[in-house]
Amino acid sequence: MTDDTAEAPATQGFLLGGRVRYAQPKDGYRTGIEPVFLAASVPARPGERVLEAGTGAGAGLLCLAHRVGGLHGTGLEIEPAMARLAAENFAANACRDLTVVCADVAASPLPRLLGAEPFDHILSNPPWHDASGTHPADMLRERAKMAEDGLLDRWIGRLAPRLKPRGSMTLILPARAVPEAMTALGAGGCGSLVLFPLWPRAGREAKMLLIQAIKGGRAECRMLPGLTLHDGPAFTLAAHAVLREGAAIDLRRSAA
């Protein structure tokens, strides 16, 4: 994981209310709440193998490993500077079973990079901003956010074969990307879909959803009540429990 890219200045901080040490770039792309909610919804158990596509500086895997001990996690990250930060964050939190591979999810030979053994769970917060819109000046933010046409379909198409039968794939996406994701998941043999809206405030339209599918699942698609993020200027108690205390979100609690 070496190249000629200059190392970007990083700031030291924390996730999950100080439970996880976390460094991220000082400028440009900054981690939001998405990887924390994503990690909270993965139904992993100790000893299982997990792949995060587009791991960035490793926030999703770090939060998941804090909640579920004994995981073997691999992060895929296209940007070398972010991959280095992820490796440093894993080491800073003594997560010896978390590793990062610098690779392009959509173009790299994943079986060669990741080995032949499939994963129990895959999670991803893929790039989803419309590439025809305004592009950010910062390269790291550009790579993390902007998606060319068909990228989500290609990501899911490459990742689905890496899942074990009955394994889960969990994504966090804007509402407009859900139809494309559902089609791609079905084409990849992943069914029993569950949608979980993240409402910004009560009565407001949900702009972001968690979507989870099971490899080989045949149950009907389910829409769960979701979670409201804010009550006035503060996070709701339910959102606070996830973001600050590392609480899980059980997307399978009412799904067949």
Side-chain angles (χ1 to χ4, degrees):
M1 200 168 56
T2 60
D3 73 336
D4 297 327
T5 305
E7 189 168 337
T11 58
Q12 303 294 324
F14 298 91
L15 298 168
L16 302 183
R19 293 167 171 83
V20 173
R21 295 174 60 87
Y22 185 66
Q24 60 182 320
K26 181 179 179 181
D27 301 308
Y29 177 70
R30 304 282 291 179
T31 298
I33 65 173
E34 293 92 342
V36 185
F37 276 95
L38 181 64
S41 62
V42 177
R45 294 178 292 184
E48 292 185 326
R49 299 180 73 243
V50 178
L51 174 67
E52 182 178 25
T55 197
L61 282 178
L62 286 167
C63 290
L64 180 57
H66 175 79
R67 178 170 63 85
V68 184
L71 288 180
H72 302 277
T74 300
L76 276 174
E77 173 55 42
I78 191 173
E79 189 59 52
M82 296 299 285
R84 281 194 292 270
L85 270 179
E88 292 168 5
N89 283 328
F90 297 159
N93 288 278
C95 294
R96 297 177 181 84
D97 290 327
L98 299 185
T99 60
V100 61
V101 175
C102 190
D104 182 353
V105 176
S108 300
L110 298 187
R112 178 170 62 80
L113 290 172
L114 302 174
E117 185 179 355
F119 290 85
D120 297 284
H121 307 281
I122 295 175
L123 64 155
S124 184
N125 175 23
W128 49 261
H129 283 274
D130 188 347
S132 65
T134 301
H135 287 237
D138 180 81
M139 183 181 67
L140 295 181
R141 189 173 180 84
E142 165 88 10
R143 284 279 186 93
K145 292 291 188 181
M146 307 304 290
E148 60 193 41
D149 288 346
L151 183 138
L152 180 58
D153 181 74
R154 291 196 301 276
W155 270 43
I156 293 173
R158 298 298 302 282
L159 294 171
R162 306 300 304 159
L163 265 180
K164 289 181 179 180
R166 307 305 300 174
S168 75
M169 186 183 298
T170 309
L171 310 167
I172 187 163
L173 296 167
R176 64 171 176 77
V178 170
E180 181 183 359
M182 293 176 70
T183 299
L185 287 165
C190 299
S192 300
L193 272 66
V194 175
L195 306 180
F196 188 88
L198 296 173
W199 313 101
R201 286 178 171 78
R204 295 284 186 88
E205 179 179 333
K207 297 181 180 180
M208 189 164 52
L209 295 88
L210 291 161
I211 178 169
Q212 188 175 92
I214 301 299
K215 185 69 173 287
R218 297 180 179 275
E220 293 183 350
C221 179
R222 304 290 300 277
M223 174 74 80
L224 299 186
L227 182 150
T228 302
L229 297 174
H230 293 96
D231 182 7
F235 284 114
T236 62
L237 292 178
H240 185 277
V242 173
L243 294 169
R244 301 291 182 261
E245 300 171 9
I249 300 173
D250 185 1
L251 298 184
R252 296 286 146 185
R253 65 186 184 274
S254 60

